[in-house]
Amino acid sequence: MVQTLSLPARKKATRKTVIPAISYCMVQFDLPLRHGQLPQFRESFLRGLETETEKRLVSHEYKNEEGKTIYEDRYPLIQFRCRQHRAAVYAIGEGVALLERFLHRHCPANPEKARPFVWEGGKVRLQVVQLEKEHNRPLSLIKEGPAIYRLHTWLPLNAINHQWWKENRNQPDVEKTKKLEQILVSHICVLIFKSGGYIARKRIKLRILDKDRLREVYYKDTGQVAFDIRFEVNLRLPPGAGLGNHPAFGFGWQRPEYE
């Protein structure tokens, strides 16, 4: 009789946690702005850049050898905001150096050397009202307890999630909140991954504390369901970083509650 030996089952490889160090910069200008003008402000910002490499980092678009426009689906490193009714730009990761070069050209220490900013058919001189910056801040897991954040005008629903939301609109609110928590964890994982890190979903402990469903907002003439929420999570997030859909256009920015 031939005896068959069974091989031991292989253990599934466990991916190691990698904590990314993230640089960010938030600049608020003296330029009055409404939220609906953010696409226009973004186009003016693009015109103020010098190289195609810089423009590609902001627009996520480039032309291939055939002249066809290619769109890159990645986390936006430059995010445009309307802050206190004024124009603002948030940069993260590689976007920080780009924003610093933009400020050097348009908002130098010597105002006489400032390049004009093209806006609404004319030329204006940008002035920095507020600047927040931090280099290599670790996006770390918190061991002593969760931190509380406020997330503003968050757009959580893509096509698949929106279909689930429609089909389950009559479900108890607690079930829909659980779904939003799962989506938010996914959005945080995207931020971590695109910043060069990795934290397993199961290690992220998140809970939505309060939420307000806003009236429908529009992005490119398409209605979107938006929320303002408070949530707690066992992570130190970079203040101001956008989460969810369309953070480049002022949606889904978060701040620690104490600020």
Side-chain angles (χ1 to χ4, degrees):
M1 184 177 66
V2 178
Q3 185 178 9
T4 302
L5 299 178
S6 58
L7 296 174
R10 288 185 178 182
K11 292 184 178 180
K12 188 177 181 180
T14 302
R15 188 172 179 182
K16 292 183 178 180
T17 297
V18 178
I19 301 296
I22 300 176
S23 300
Y24 66 88
C25 180
M26 166 70 84
V27 179
Q28 181 180 343
F29 299 102
D30 62 342
L31 182 68
L33 193 76
R34 302 186 308 274
H35 190 275
Q37 294 176 297
L38 283 174
Q40 181 184 351
F41 177 60
R42 177 177 178 269
E43 290 304 312
S44 292
F45 185 93
L46 280 166
R47 284 196 293 269
L49 302 179
E50 290 188 332
T51 69
E52 290 303 316
T53 300
E54 288 181 332
K55 293 177 181 179
R56 177 174 174 175
L57 192 66
V58 177
S59 67
H60 300 183
E61 295 178 353
Y62 69 97
K63 292 187 181 296
N64 62 12
E65 295 178 355
E66 301 173 352
K68 183 179 179 181
T69 299
I70 305 298
Y71 178 78
E72 300 172 304
D73 184 14
R74 55 184 172 84
Y75 183 79
L77 303 180
I78 298 291
Q79 302 170 16
F80 300 91
R81 309 269 168 85
C82 180
R83 189 179 188 189
Q84 298 173 334
H85 308 292
R86 296 181 184 275
V89 178
Y90 181 88
I92 187 169
E94 295 178 56
V96 173
L98 184 151
L99 180 55
E100 289 175 338
R101 290 194 296 271
F102 179 89
L103 294 176
H104 180 74
R105 296 172 196 144
H106 294 273
C107 308
N110 184 353
E112 294 181 359
K113 296 183 178 181
R115 298 186 188 182
F117 183 74
V118 178
W119 179 246
E120 294 188 324
K123 295 181 179 180
V124 299
R125 181 171 291 178
L126 288 179
Q127 191 170 12
V128 174
V129 174
Q130 189 174 359
L131 175 66
E132 303 172 17
K133 183 165 58 174
E134 188 167 352
H135 284 285
N136 298 324
R137 173 180 178 142
L139 188 157
S140 57
L141 285 161
I142 301 173
K143 296 181 180 179
E144 65 271 18
I148 298 177
Y149 296 86
R150 288 184 177 271
L151 181 55
H152 301 271
T153 323
W154 176 47
L155 305 181
L157 304 180
N158 58 18
I160 296 174
N161 292 330
H162 192 266
Q163 184 62 32
W164 182 95
W165 196 263
K166 287 171 58 179
E167 293 174 354
N168 293 272
R169 59 183 177 273
N170 295 323
Q171 289 287 330
D173 187 66
V174 64
E175 295 299 324
K176 291 186 286 187
T177 298
K178 286 181 181 178
K179 181 66 174 180
L180 291 176
E181 289 172 344
Q182 295 169 4
I183 294 171
L184 183 52
V185 169
S186 295
H187 291 168
I188 291 174
C189 286
V190 168
L191 171 62
I192 295 170
F193 178 75
K194 297 299 184 181
S195 301
Y198 172 78
I199 298 176
R201 288 181 62 100
K202 64 182 181 181
R203 298 194 66 188
I204 300 175
K205 309 302 181 185
L206 182 145
R207 183 166 67 99
I208 291 177
L209 304 175
D210 301 294
K211 70 178 186 298
D212 293 323
R213 180 173 177 177
L214 306 182
R215 62 184 176 83
E216 194 173 46
V217 299
Y218 285 84
Y219 173 74
K220 292 186 177 181
D221 298 324
T222 302
Q224 305 272 338
V225 178
F227 293 87
D228 277 352
I229 71 170
R230 291 174 66 243
F231 69 96
E232 64 177 22
V233 66
N234 61 334
L235 285 170
R236 286 193 177 91
L237 301 173
L243 300 171
N245 299 322
H246 315 306
F249 292 90
F251 298 105
W253 58 274
Q254 51 74 30
R255 281 273 183 181
E257 188 172 60
Y258 60 81
E259 294 188 2

